[in-house]
């Protein structure tokens, strides 16, 4: 099994690179597929050897492999549909920004960033201080955030979006950009979660790359991707309250490098065993649970709800179901066939609808980039919850930006893209 998994991943990544360009992280499908490879597939190659006490059933392994292949097929169906209507697929090295951002675009974007700073201050006050300075980061980041989730989502969305606009400004502001980058990075990591910092790093890398006349090769992208993965693992090790002097920090990092890709498969196995044997399929109820996030007060997400339902006790946050796991616990085994095809088709279609020419508008670049980064996390948590937590508030920041821009121009409120 181990070598067959590696061979399948190599073949599939080759095909993705051939037809969709692995460097093209603006395409939500490409970003999603890389994430799926790393966090819901490759660990099958070593799980039996490294984690023999956590057996993964042969049936489930087959479904995971099937979903990996079907995601690609869904994207290929999308590409074929666009090919038949005469829409050419645009690779990332072919993309350029249509025009320099106007002064009103830049100033209104900077105001959005300042609003993000304000929401950050409010969130910090609400949670009783900077969480990463707490003695127990892993658990405090959950308990202290209770009731402050709205402020958290607002400050993340507005700071990330605002900084993306700042990156599009003239290169003469490089020193200011570096200073604001350091402040933003600290704010994003301040409450103990790695994902927002990773988004910032990716956003900065992609925008700087597209603006640059020098285009990077796939090998250079791979090196940068490895660095980002190591950063992710390092912060995870730091966050885990490492205190045992008998184990070196590097040993802990090695453990997490293997565990992080495997944990979604482990969770999927437990979900596969729990439904419908111990609990009936939820038939869409998970989506209602996530919708409660819009109601006042503390409303745990579905991952936390599932953790309680399954009586699962572990430090930290909620259960990551995986996108096929979320489909399975709602609708059964049919989800292993339908969900991957749907995800692949949807994500590539959105890209080709927006990037149908080699030039892209500033707003189109920012929105597509954040959408691509945001929905990649749906490999672990499913699309609906990801749209609420990672994408919806970024779109709110986007519309606030356009609203402020129109006010500055003293024109009737009419949303226009730049």
């Amino acid at each position: 099994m181990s070598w067959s998994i590696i061979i399948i991943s190599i073949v599939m990544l080759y095909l993705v690179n051939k037809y969709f360009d692995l460097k093209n992280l603006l395409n939500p499908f490409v970003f999603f597929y890389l994430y799926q490879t790393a966090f819901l597939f490759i660990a099958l190659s070593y799980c039996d050897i490294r984690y023999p006490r956590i057996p993964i059933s042969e049936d489930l392994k087959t479904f995971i492999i099937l979903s990996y292949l079907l995601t690609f097929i869904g994207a290929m169906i999308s590409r074929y549909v666009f090919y038949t209507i005469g829409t050419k697929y645009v690779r990332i090295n072919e993309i350029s920004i249509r025009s320099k951002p106007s002064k009103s675009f830049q100033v209104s974007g900077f105001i959005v960033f300042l609003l993000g700073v304000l929401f950050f201050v409010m969130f910090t006050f609400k949670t009783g201080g900077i969480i990463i300075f707490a003695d127990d980061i892993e658990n405090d980041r959950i308990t202290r955030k209770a009731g402050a989730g709205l402020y958290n989502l607002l400050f993340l969305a507005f700071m990330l979006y605002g900084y993306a606009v700042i990156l599009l400004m003239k290169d003469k502001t490089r020193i200011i950009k570096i200073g604001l980058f350091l402040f933003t990075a600290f704010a994003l990591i301040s409450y103990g979660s790695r994902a927002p910092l990773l988004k910032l790093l990716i956003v900065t890398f992609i925008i700087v790359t597209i603006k640059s006349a020098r285009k990077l090769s796939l090998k250079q992208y791979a090196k940068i991707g490895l660095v980002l993965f190591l950063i992710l693992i390092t912060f995870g090790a730091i966050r885990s309250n490492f205190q045992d002097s008998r184990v070196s920090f590097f040993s802990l990092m090695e453990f997490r490098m293997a565990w992080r890709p495997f944990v979604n498969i482990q969770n999927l196995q437990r979900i596969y065993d729990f439904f419908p044997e111990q609990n009936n399929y939820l038939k869409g109820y998970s989506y209602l649970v996530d919708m409660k996030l819009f109601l006042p007060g503390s409303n745990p997400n579905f991952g936390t709800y599932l953790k309680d339902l399954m009586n699962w006790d572990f430090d930290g946050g909620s259960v990551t179901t995986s996108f096929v796991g979320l489909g399975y616990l709602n609708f059964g085994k049919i989800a292993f066939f339908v969900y991957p095809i749907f995800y692949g088709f949807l994500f590539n279609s959105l890209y080709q609808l927006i990037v149908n020419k080699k030039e892209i508008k500033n707003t189109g670049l920012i929105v597509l980039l954040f959408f691509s980064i945001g929905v990649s996390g749906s490999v672990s948590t499913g699309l609906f919850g990801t749209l609420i937590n990672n994408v919806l508030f970024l779109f709110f920041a986007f519309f606030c930006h356009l609203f402020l821009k129109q006010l500055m121009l003293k024109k009737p409120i009419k949303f226009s893209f730049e």
Side-chain angles (χ1 to χ4, degrees):
M1 173 66 75
S2 60
W3 281 108
S4 62
I5 294 298
I6 294 172
I7 292 170
I8 291 172
S9 64
I10 291 172
V11 171
M12 296 310 300
L13 291 177
Y14 168 80
L15 292 173
V16 171
N17 187 53
K18 180 178 179 180
Y19 292 105
F20 300 97
D21 185 7
L22 277 176
K23 302 188 300 298
N24 196 356
L25 301 184
L26 273 180
N27 185 338
F29 161 69
V30 174
F31 213 135
F32 181 87
Y33 206 73
L34 287 170
Y35 209 99
Q36 187 179 3
T37 303
F39 298 111
L40 193 60
F41 185 73
I42 202 64
L44 286 178
S45 65
Y46 59 78
C47 62
D48 291 337
I49 298 172
R50 192 170 182 99
Y51 304 109
R53 296 183 181 180
I54 310 176
I56 307 300
S57 70
E58 293 302 317
D59 282 352
L60 186 59
K61 288 178 182 177
T62 301
F63 283 129
I64 292 173
I65 295 171
L66 181 66
S67 67
Y68 187 62
L69 301 176
L70 289 176
T71 306
F72 174 78
I73 290 174
M76 285 298 295
I77 294 172
S78 167
R79 170 131 191 214
Y80 177 76
V81 169
F82 279 92
Y83 172 78
T84 59
I85 61 175
T87 302
K88 183 179 181 295
Y89 185 85
V90 183
R91 296 173 179 267
I92 195 166
N93 283 347
E94 300 173 333
I95 297 173
S96 61
I97 300 173
R98 183 168 299 178
S99 60
K100 294 182 179 179
S102 65
K103 184 176 180 180
S104 58
F105 182 89
Q106 296 177 56
V107 174
S108 55
F110 188 71
I111 293 173
V112 169
F113 179 81
L114 293 179
L115 287 172
V117 175
L118 176 62
F119 289 130
F120 169 61
V121 172
M122 295 169 67
F123 172 76
T124 303
F125 177 78
K126 187 84 172 177
T127 55
I130 304 297
I131 294 176
I132 58 169
F133 295 149
D135 293 330
D136 186 3
I137 301 173
E138 187 72 6
N139 290 300
D140 275 16
R141 71 188 183 94
I142 306 302
T143 57
R144 284 168 56 173
K145 276 174 57 182
L150 180 61
Y151 295 106
N152 183 212
L153 293 171
L154 285 171
F155 105 69
L156 291 176
F158 277 68
M159 286 189 77
L160 279 168
Y161 182 91
Y163 186 73
V165 174
I166 291 170
L167 282 173
L168 291 171
M169 295 179 181
K170 296 179 181 178
D171 291 334
K172 293 179 180 179
T173 59
R174 185 174 298 175
I175 295 177
I176 296 174
K177 290 177 183 178
I178 293 173
L180 292 178
F181 173 85
L182 294 174
F183 172 78
T184 305
F186 171 76
L188 296 179
I189 200 69
S190 67
Y191 71 102
S193 183
R194 300 160 292 174
L197 176 61
L198 193 62
K199 288 180 186 178
L200 175 67
L201 294 172
I202 295 171
V203 165
T204 303
F205 168 67
I206 295 297
I207 292 180
V208 169
T209 299
I210 290 177
K211 287 182 65 179
S212 173
R214 179 174 174 264
K215 302 304 180 181
L216 301 181
S217 66
L218 180 59
K219 185 177 181 181
Q220 290 169 313
Y221 268 79
K223 289 179 180 178
I224 293 169
L226 178 61
V227 170
L228 292 178
F229 178 74
L230 291 175
I231 290 173
L232 182 74
I233 296 299
T234 301
F235 276 106
I238 293 171
R239 195 181 70 187
S240 64
N241 306 315
F242 175 68
Q243 296 174 340
D244 193 341
S245 59
R246 296 171 298 177
V247 182
S248 70
F249 181 76
F250 291 104
S251 296
L252 181 60
M253 278 191 63
E254 181 186 3
F255 166 77
R256 293 191 70 89
M257 285 181 68
W259 177 253
R260 182 63 186 87
F262 173 71
V263 68
N264 285 335
I265 296 176
Q266 175 214 235
N267 293 354
L268 182 53
Q269 180 66 60
R270 293 195 65 166
I271 290 168
Y272 190 71
D273 294 338
F274 192 79
F275 295 92
E277 188 70 26
Q278 300 179 53
N279 200 95
N280 291 330
Y281 295 123
L282 298 185
K283 299 178 181 179
Y285 181 70
S286 70
Y287 302 111
L288 295 178
V289 173
D290 278 329
M291 286 294 290
K292 292 180 182 179
L293 290 171
F294 295 105
L295 300 178
S298 177
N299 295 293
N301 61 17
F302 177 71
T304 303
Y305 170 87
L306 183 64
K307 182 179 177 180
D308 293 336
L309 179 66
M310 297 175 65
N311 294 315
W312 202 341
D313 184 24
F314 57 85
D315 288 343
S318 57
V319 176
T320 55
T321 60
S322 77
F323 77 108
V324 285
L326 186 65
Y328 171 76
L329 63 84
N330 275 297
F331 306 112
K333 293 180 180 178
I334 189 66
F336 290 114
F337 300 88
V338 175
Y339 272 51
I341 293 177
F342 172 74
Y343 275 58
F345 183 88
L346 174 66
F347 291 160
N348 185 71
S349 297
L350 288 171
Y351 173 77
Q352 294 207 239
L353 283 170
I354 296 174
V355 187
N356 50 25
K357 297 179 181 179
K358 293 184 179 181
E359 288 185 334
I360 188 170
K361 294 181 178 181
N362 292 285
T363 45
L365 171 63
I366 295 175
V367 169
L368 183 58
L369 179 54
F370 277 118
F371 181 83
S372 181
I373 296 171
V375 298
S376 66
S378 62
V379 168
S380 296
T381 59
L383 183 58
F384 191 73
T386 303
L387 289 176
I388 292 175
N389 290 289
N390 294 353
V391 178
L392 181 63
F393 284 85
L394 281 163
F395 273 85
F396 177 59
F398 163 65
F399 283 113
C400 286
H401 178 211
L402 296 184
F403 179 79
L404 290 168
K405 178 190 169 188
Q406 292 298 109
L407 285 180
M408 290 184 62
L409 294 173
K410 297 180 181 180
K411 293 182 177 180
I413 303 303
K414 181 182 178 181
F415 291 122
S416 60
F417 295 91
E418 177 175 327

